[in-house]
Amino acid sequence: KTDEFMKSVLNKKKIKIKYIKSNIRVGKTIIDNILLTLVSGKYICYCGSDDYFKKKAFEIMSKILDELPKKNKNNINGVITQSVDTEGVSQTFYENKIPNKKLIMTWEHYSKYIKGDSTNLEKASVYKNKKFKEVDFLISESTLMNEVHKNSYFLLSPIITKIMRRASDSISFGNKMRYNR
């Protein structure tokens, strides 16, 4: 019932949302590339089909950005917050590398902390005229992300903003895609 839910959210108009619906299965990468051509806002943020944002996730990430000193705002490509599974296990950081406070670091340095999926609120402008490689699950999103964020800074936060649904039928935790990526 995603379509019904999105239409009810759009009617409330709390935040600006562009809702694009595909009537055919074209694959994540193809739809992501279509969406990149339609972005008009300052930031983008992804949420997988088996994930969901916690209440006030965008408010929290926006507040983190607002707390940045003005001298740092132009040099930061976005905010990275933590995603956990439905059992509360971090899917973003290795257990012994969860930061206990906000940190500013380069994308390359961040890769030493990361275990898997995070919640990234990223400047949309870095993706202008860029595309994800259209080979689903064989070439990950990080291929393009490593290119567009090279030598860029992010504000890293241990705050949890997204839940990844742990279930046997999910892409992230199920066995259907076991040998990919």
Side-chain angles (χ1 to χ4, degrees), residues 42-43 73-78 121-127:
K42 188 171 182 179
Y43 292 95
K73 283 196 180 182
N74 290 335
N75 301 328
I76 301 288
N77 264 15
L121 183 68
E122 308 168 71
K123 283 185 178 174
S125 60
V126 301
Y127 289 100

Side-chain angles (χ1 to χ4, degrees), residues 129-150:
N129 300 317
K130 302 283 186 190
K131 284 187 165 190
F132 290 102
K133 296 196 183 312
E134 294 182 359
V135 187
D136 272 345
F137 294 107
L138 299 175
I139 298 175
S140 73
E141 297 98 340
S142 62
T143 304
L144 177 58
M145 295 167 89
N146 289 338
E147 176 189 326
V148 301
H149 295 309
K150 188 174 184 165

Side-chain angles (χ1 to χ4, degrees), residues 2-3 11-12 15 53 56 58 71 74 93 96 98 104 109 116 118 124 126 133 135 144 156 164 169 180:
T2 302
D3 196 45
N11 289 334
K12 293 177 185 172
I15 61 174
F53 290 109
K56 300 190 178 194
F58 295 105
K71 66 178 183 165
N74 290 335
F93 303 111
N96 63 343
I98 298 173
I104 294 176
H109 189 201
S118 56
V126 301
K133 296 196 183 312
V135 187
L144 177 58
L156 202 67
M164 299 177 68
D169 65 342
N180 295 318

